[in-house]
Amino acid sequence: MKIFRTQTEMSPVLQKTRENGETIGFVATMGALHQGHLALIQQAKKENEVVVVSIFVNPTQFNNPEDLAKYPRTEEKDIVLLSDSNCDFLYLPNVEDVYPEKEESKDYDFGLLDQVMEGKFRPGHFAGVATVVNKLLRAVQPTKAYFGEKDFQQVRIVQEMVRQEKLPVEIVTVPVQRAENGLALSSRNTRLTEENLQAAPFIYATLQKAKNLKEEGNSVHEVNSYVEKAFANSPFELEYFQIADEETLQPIDDFTSTKKIRAFVVAYAGDVRLIDNLSFS
């Protein structure tokens, strides 16, 4: 595996790859890699001749400076994992390489996509995500880029950004990767206390119960009420639970109003923010 610290180093190598007619799969990460990231890399390896992974903790998508400071950074361990996963190239830039002029986000208009859920609770987050993914996609120029459905709203934002920027890349989504107990894999899980780690499967179990209630004929209001009461009696602080249309991400009031439905949840375990979702379709 070859490691690039700058676009200047990386660009000619990837240009030669493209000239050789080889397809490039790209996985953008913020490091602290786990099996969820490796699943993206495995999918990219299956579908492309060359795989590029980036590790960059993007400052513009953190509306909370404390969250940015606490974000786990495990560069040496990540490099070993990537090498063992047969990653071809690692792009490991510093802030100056990604933001050579000014560390700021581009102002995008995503309509209603970024007005709900994460967009509502983390102002400026998706502008930062879209900006850095745009920069990374332009730097790597991959054939396909891979994103996990755990951050489903982020995927929809990236898809819309790619459409607006007219980038020639296919966005491939990979299902949520979970631990054996159902906990959605996340870099933030490393910050959970042992007690919260043991209790965390409750979140996925609640999503599953909510889906069962929907299938048993309960209304959106009844499912919402169940989830709110369940969390009120749990160790976790519910930030939001929303049942929404997968395409528009807008909340629904009636399960018959759309075919593709997904439930989204965010809850705090102490000071660790956990995110998950489940298809209801």
Side-chain angles (χ1 to χ4, degrees), residues 90-143:
L90 169 60
Y91 177 39
L92 196 59
N94 59 23
V95 173
E96 289 71 29
D97 195 61
V98 178
Y99 295 96
E101 296 177 0
K102 195 173 181 182
E103 190 183 304
E104 64 180 7
S105 299
K106 182 175 178 178
D107 187 20
Y108 284 95
D109 180 4
F110 292 118
L112 297 175
L113 283 179
D114 64 345
Q115 301 302 304
V116 293
M117 297 187 291
E118 295 300 278
K120 178 180 177 181
F121 285 90
R122 303 175 69 186
H125 171 67
F126 285 127
V129 168
T131 297
V132 77
V133 173
N134 183 22
K135 286 176 174 288
L136 292 171
L137 290 176
R138 290 181 184 278
V140 176
Q141 297 179 47
T143 314

Side-chain angles (χ1 to χ4, degrees), residues 2-15 91-94 96-98 100 138-140:
K2 187 169 180 56
I3 300 174
F4 302 111
R5 297 277 177 177
T6 67
Q7 290 184 50
T8 304
E9 294 175 293
M10 178 174 66
S11 293
V13 176
L14 294 185
Q15 179 59 30
Y91 177 39
L92 196 59
N94 59 23
E96 289 71 29
D97 195 61
V98 178
R138 290 181 184 278
V140 176

Side-chain angles (χ1 to χ4, degrees), residues 53-89:
V53 174
S54 66
I55 295 177
F56 178 65
V57 181
N58 176 40
T60 66
Q61 70 189 68
F62 287 85
N63 57 310
N64 182 345
E66 189 177 324
D67 201 20
L68 172 60
K70 287 182 177 179
Y71 196 87
R73 291 164 171 82
T74 56
E75 183 177 304
E76 290 183 10
K77 180 183 173 186
D78 292 345
I79 289 173
V80 172
L81 276 174
L82 291 175
S83 182
D84 290 346
S85 300
N86 296 317
C87 172
D88 298 290
F89 301 119

